[in-house]
Each structure stands twice: as C-alpha cells, then as structure tokens.
Amino acid sequence: MSTSDAPYTLEKTRGYVVLCLLPKLNEVQWGDVQQVGNEIIPDLDALRSPALLVDLSALDYMGSSMVALLVRLWKAVQKKNGRMVVQSEQKMVTEVLSIAGLNSLWDVVPTRDEAIGAMKHAPPTSQNGPAEASWTGPIIALIAAVAAGWVWWTTHSGDPLFNDAKQSVYVLFALAAVAVVISGLTLVRNAGAARIVGGLILLVGLAVSVGGFQQLSAANAAPPVVDSDAAAAADATEQTPKPQLRIDRLDSDKKDK
C-alpha cells in the first residue's frame, strides 16, 4: 500500500502522534486493514511512551475491522505504557464505540482541542487497569437474536407476522444482522463470560440468517396463492347453464282459442 493511497495519515507533533483514519479505510479488505496496523505499530514501538491521538472525525460509520484495528493500536500503546485518546464527531461512530464498551478504555471527545487536553491529563494505560466487561452489547445482541428467531419460527410454522412471507424474512435478516454485528464487537472488546455469550449469540445469528435464506428461497419458489372461495364461486358460475329464451308462437295460441 503506497503512501499516497494509504487510507490514513500519521503525523508526529508536539510530543504526541496524530493518526487520522480516512473513509476509504471502510472500503478496503480485512487484510488491508491489518496491513495498516502493521505499518503504524512500528512507529509507536519506536517511542518510549507513545501518546496516540486517533482522529475518527472523517468517518461516517465504522466497521468491525476498524474496531479491531483500534484495539490493536491500543494494545501496542499499552505495552509501551503510553496514552491514547479518540476524537469522534459523528454520532454513529461514537455509538459503535459505546456499544462495544471501548469508551471505557479511552477518552472519546468530539473536538481536537478536547482531545489534546485529554491527552495531557490521560494517565498511562498501564495505570487504567482492566476495564470492566460491558454487558450492554451482549444484551442488545441477545434481544435481536431472540426476535429474529421468533420471526423465523412464525414464518416456518405458516403464520408469518406479515401477509407477505418475504417481508417477514427481510425483517428477520435485519434483526439477525444487528445480532451478528454487535456480538462480533463483543468478541473484540470483552473477555470471560461476556465474550463467551457474544460468541454464542454470533452463532445463533448466523444460524437464523441461514434459515432466513432457506425461507426466502421457498417463498420465491412457491406458486401464487389463490383464494379458494373465489375460485369455487367462479367454477360454479361457469358450470351453471345459461337459460334459453323460448319464443312462443302467437299462431299456435290463436289456434287453441
């Protein structure tokens, strides 16, 4: 990855390092994100006590690979007894950090001035101690997975939530996606019981997604539904003989008189 094409900028200034992650980083493959970490970490290792300011203000959203990169950088800083502060202006990015529980590891602030101020007062990472496991993510992921499983069951049993089975499957996919993404973040952030629960929820979300694909395939292959009452009425109408008009002859009536 050449410097001009790099999806980040790295600048050393006034006693700390500023790392700006650019939107194009959300478009690259997982291996390229890993390569970014391989390029940055040696620069951090060369410092006695690195002070890292990660600027996420250019990002509109953040994927799981980006979260994994931040955790990897934080571990490199922690190993050198350094400090790390994150600047994030976008609400969606900040919410991802909060759901993953990463805001308990670093100061997350919206402006550069606040980030610089937090950098000066942030204690070395070795003094922060292990962060408490956050159960917010696993709980949200569990609720989404249970809801997705319920939608799958109602559709599978022939009583979908919506008249259109495909619409029910799309709702299933949305809920399963929430469960998979949040449980994946839980695996990255947490340890111990929370990480185990996150892994189990991830498997459930993937399994429900597979079931949703099967239901969607079945819905696409199913013949159109015909109203049986309407069809029966149509058949009865076709089978009823039409009355024939008979014209009596006036001449025969006159003769009878």
Side-chain angles (χ1 to χ4, degrees):
M1 187 181 299
S2 65
T3 304
S4 59
D5 295 332
Y8 69 92
T9 61
L10 188 66
E11 179 184 1
K12 298 178 182 179
T13 178
R14 292 185 294 180
Y16 56 89
V17 178
V18 179
L19 171 64
C20 296
L21 299 183
L22 305 178
K24 64 174 70 174
L25 190 58
N26 279 317
E27 303 173 2
V28 302
Q29 301 295 325
W30 179 278
D32 292 330
V33 178
Q34 292 290 94
Q35 180 61 28
V36 169
N38 295 338
E39 295 173 358
I40 296 174
I41 289 177
D43 291 331
L44 298 177
D45 288 339
L47 301 175
R48 173 179 294 182
S49 181
L52 178 61
L53 192 162
V54 182
D55 187 354
L56 306 178
S57 58
L59 302 180
D60 293 328
Y61 69 97
M62 176 183 293
S64 58
S65 60
M66 191 94 67
V67 173
L69 173 62
L70 291 183
V71 173
R72 185 181 176 194
L73 295 176
W74 173 74
K75 288 182 178 180
V77 171
Q78 185 182 40
K79 182 176 67 174
K80 300 287 291 187
N81 195 28
R83 298 171 305 228
M84 178 168 164
V85 173
V86 174
Q87 177 186 347
S88 174
E89 299 178 359
Q90 299 295 334
K91 182 178 180 181
M92 184 175 296
V93 174
T94 304
E95 286 181 351
V96 169
L97 297 175
S98 177
I99 291 174
L102 298 177
N103 58 344
S104 64
L105 290 178
W106 326 304
D107 287 326
V108 180
V109 295
T111 66
R112 177 60 61 88
D113 289 340
E114 290 178 280
I116 294 174
M119 182 70 69
K120 294 179 180 179
H121 298 94
T125 55
S126 62
Q127 297 179 11
N128 291 337
E132 296 182 359
S134 172
W135 285 93
T136 304
I139 291 174
I140 296 175
L142 179 61
I143 294 174
V146 170
W150 180 61
V151 174
W152 175 87
W153 175 253
T154 56
T155 306
H156 179 73
S157 61
D159 186 21
L161 294 177
F162 304 96
N163 293 331
D164 186 359
K166 292 183 182 180
Q167 190 173 359
S168 296
V169 175
Y170 294 147
V171 173
L172 181 153
F173 284 151
L175 293 170
V178 172
V180 169
V181 171
I182 296 180
S183 59
L185 293 176
T186 300
L187 286 175
V188 174
R189 162 63 182 88
N190 289 286
R195 188 171 187 178
I196 295 174
V197 172
L200 293 175
I201 297 173
L202 177 63
L203 294 177
V204 172
L206 293 175
V208 173
S209 298
V210 172
F213 279 113
Q214 293 175 347
Q215 289 179 345
L216 184 60
S217 299
N220 289 331
V225 178
V226 179
D227 190 340
S228 58
D229 294 337
D235 292 340
T237 302
E238 292 178 359
Q239 294 176 4
T240 302
K242 296 181 179 179
Q244 299 179 355
L245 296 177
R246 295 181 180 180
I247 302 175
D248 295 334
R249 297 180 179 179
L250 296 177
D251 294 342
S252 60
D253 291 341
K254 292 179 180 180
K255 290 178 180 181
D256 292 340
K257 293 180 178 181

